[in-house]
Amino acid sequence: MEDSASEFEMPSDDEAMSGQQSDGDGDNEMIIEPPEARKMPYVIMTRDEIGDRQRRCIKHASDLLDVSQADAFVLLRENTWDLARLQEAWFNHEDKTRQRCGLGSASSSASAPSAATGGHASGVQQSCPICMTQRDALFSLDCGHGFCAECWSGYLHSQVDDGKAAVQARCPQHKCGRTVPVSFFEKYCDQVRWQKYQEWYLFSFVDDNPSVKWCTNPGGCKNAIELQGVDPPEIRCSCAFVWCWPCGEEAHRPADCKTVHQWNIKNSAESENISWIRANTKKCPKCHKPIEKNQGCNHMVCSKAGGCGFEFCWQCLGDWSTHGTSTGGYYQCNIYDKQAKEGKHHEEEKTRMQAKHALDRYIFFFERFMEHDRAMKLTVKEEAELEKQVPQLHDDYNFDVTELHFLYEALRQVRCCRRGLK
């Protein structure tokens, strides 16, 4: 019994300490990472990393589906770079998927001439369907529509000049849906256009991929972000710009994306100009052009430059020829006072006052929005100045650089608060 009881005795403090030390010597030591070092639900990629990620996806699809890498690129792009979606469609109906993506059937692809060397040549001259010139050799895709080298060059050059849709170029033959492979662009394009095509080839991994987006920093950033998991509320790029994944705007919590969209429209569209016109102008009774009265008497003259030259009273909008000393002179209108008592101008004045109130309210919030935006941008400049001050604090007061890291965190927190107040 004594032996069995000893099995349940708690280890002494010395034994526990020695056990902890022995565990520390091994590889199982738990490391607590700071919050910023923990895995984020997205990956920030530079241009080179985008290319590496794209090549890995193409190779994986090529090995899985047993197709060339050129065909794998077309299949992935047409399926928004979703390998699971492509895999399901491919194994459900391979020929249908090939046709939808602009590829030939497996049998025609195997028996067709190589796209890299392209086409067929014979001793008998043939007529090119585009330039109608007799040629010694025509070059074709696996669809069999042959064209001369000059026409291929002209066609592919025009495709590249038209924009990034060149990666979706199809056979020049009318109603032929066969996709032009990368090797044809490499063979028939000049150096400048080939480099431009390579850029669009790379960008297609981001532009045609819903799980990858470019950083939306208005100052310019060439990084791309790949989402891995649930939509994060904010993306913090390595360029220090923080933005919202769903809408692409600058981070705007706690406001939702719809509110931010409406605010941006209000700031950029002509809606506020219309509100200002409603609040501060009246229409000429004759030509209906808006007129602003910023000073002076009630005698208004519609400018002949862009107007009609009609003279009228600012208050009642009646013909000025009917006004005089009996109606109140230049600074008062008895006609308007009488009409106001009868309620003839009630709706018009109500609309003008509502527009003026809405405009004043908008200006109130817009001024504060711009002030917080200016203060937020100021923290970016202050952070750059802090980079110069930290080494000086280290030299003058012997502070460890790591001890001064809180200064950067404080600036980022101020920036975050200013962003929230916007």
Side-chain angles (χ1 to χ4, degrees), residues 180-229:
V180 180
V182 180
S183 55
F184 262 55
F185 283 91
E186 184 178 11
K187 180 179 180 181
Y188 294 111
C189 285
D190 56 32
Q191 188 63 26
V192 174
R193 290 183 175 87
W194 169 238
Q195 290 178 354
K196 189 179 293 186
Y197 177 83
Q198 285 180 304
E199 185 172 306
W200 287 326
Y201 179 93
L202 176 68
F203 288 176
S204 69
F205 182 74
V206 181
D207 297 335
D208 301 325
N209 192 341
S211 63
V212 183
K213 292 182 179 180
W214 296 108
C215 174
T216 58
N217 188 342
C221 177
K222 296 183 178 180
N223 292 339
I225 287 56
E226 181 177 20
L227 183 64
Q228 298 179 340

Side-chain angles (χ1 to χ4, degrees), residues 148-374:
C148 66
E150 288 79 2
C151 288
W152 269 116
S153 294
Y155 173 70
L156 297 182
H157 284 175
S158 67
Q159 291 293 308
V160 174
D161 292 339
D162 285 344
K164 62 183 180 181
V167 295
Q168 305 173 9
R170 302 296 171 113
C171 171
Q173 181 67 31
H174 182 57
K175 292 186 178 181
C176 180
R178 198 67 74 243
T179 301
V180 180
V182 180
S183 55
F184 262 55
F185 283 91
E186 184 178 11
K187 180 179 180 181
Y188 294 111
C189 285
D190 56 32
Q191 188 63 26
V192 174
R193 290 183 175 87
W194 169 238
Q195 290 178 354
K196 189 179 293 186
Y197 177 83
Q198 285 180 304
E199 185 172 306
W200 287 326
Y201 179 93
L202 176 68
F203 288 176
S204 69
F205 182 74
V206 181
D207 297 335
D208 301 325
N209 192 341
S211 63
V212 183
K213 292 182 179 180
W214 296 108
C215 174
T216 58
N217 188 342
C221 177
K222 296 183 178 180
N223 292 339
I225 287 56
E226 181 177 20
L227 183 64
Q228 298 179 340
V230 184
D231 286 3
E234 294 179 351
I235 301 293
R236 189 179 299 274
C237 184
S238 57
C239 66
F241 185 69
V242 185
W243 53 280
C244 173
W245 174 270
C247 67
E249 297 290 344
E250 185 180 12
H252 49 73
R253 288 191 298 176
D256 57 22
C257 297
K258 182 179 179 181
T259 303
V260 173
H261 178 66
Q262 292 172 342
W263 174 255
N264 290 336
I265 290 176
K266 196 175 186 66
N267 290 340
S268 61
E270 292 294 322
S271 59
E272 290 313 309
N273 291 342
I274 295 172
S275 297
W276 189 91
I277 291 172
R278 285 178 179 173
N280 297 281
T281 67
K282 290 184 179 181
K283 291 183 179 179
C284 170
K286 188 175 181 180
C287 68
H288 304 291
K289 295 289 179 66
I291 298 174
E292 178 193 5
K293 177 180 179 294
N294 54 11
Q295 60 181 352
C297 63
N298 289 330
H299 182 198
M300 305 299 295
V301 180
C302 182
S303 174
K304 293 184 179 180
C308 61
F310 181 66
E311 299 183 28
F312 63 95
C313 172
W314 174 256
Q315 287 191 312
C316 69
L317 300 180
D319 192 336
W320 185 252
S321 61
T322 63
H323 289 65
T325 307
S326 61
T327 61
Y330 284 91
Y331 293 93
Q332 189 176 356
C333 180
N334 298 335
I335 299 175
Y336 174 80
D337 294 339
K338 182 180 179 180
Q339 291 175 345
K341 289 180 180 179
E342 296 173 356
K344 290 186 178 180
H345 298 283
H346 177 69
E347 290 299 326
E348 180 185 349
E349 288 298 323
K350 183 180 178 181
T351 301
R352 288 183 67 247
M353 291 306 297
Q354 287 177 344
K356 187 171 180 60
H357 175 71
L359 184 62
D360 291 342
R361 185 171 182 269
Y362 166 73
I363 292 173
F364 174 84
F365 287 109
F366 181 76
E367 287 176 349
R368 280 148 185 80
F369 173 83
M370 294 305 296
E371 183 63 26
H372 290 307
D373 184 67
R374 184 196 64 79

Side-chain angles (χ1 to χ4, degrees), residues 138-153:
L138 300 181
F139 304 91
S140 69
L141 304 174
D142 57 6
C143 58
H145 301 131
F147 307 94
C148 66
E150 288 79 2
C151 288
W152 269 116
S153 294

Side-chain angles (χ1 to χ4, degrees), residues 55-71:
R55 284 189 289 272
R56 289 200 305 271
C57 287
I58 292 173
K59 187 177 186 306
H60 189 189
S62 175
D63 296 341
L64 180 65
L65 306 180
D66 193 22
V67 296
S68 67
Q69 292 198 6
D71 288 352

Side-chain angles (χ1 to χ4, degrees), residues 36-65:
E36 61 272 12
R38 294 172 189 169
K39 182 174 177 60
M40 301 299 292
Y42 55 87
V43 175
I44 302 171
M45 298 183 292
T46 62
R47 185 187 180 95
D48 292 338
E49 290 169 340
I50 295 171
D52 293 339
R53 182 79 176 88
Q54 184 185 46
R55 284 189 289 272
R56 289 200 305 271
C57 287
I58 292 173
K59 187 177 186 306
H60 189 189
S62 175
D63 296 341
L64 180 65
L65 306 180

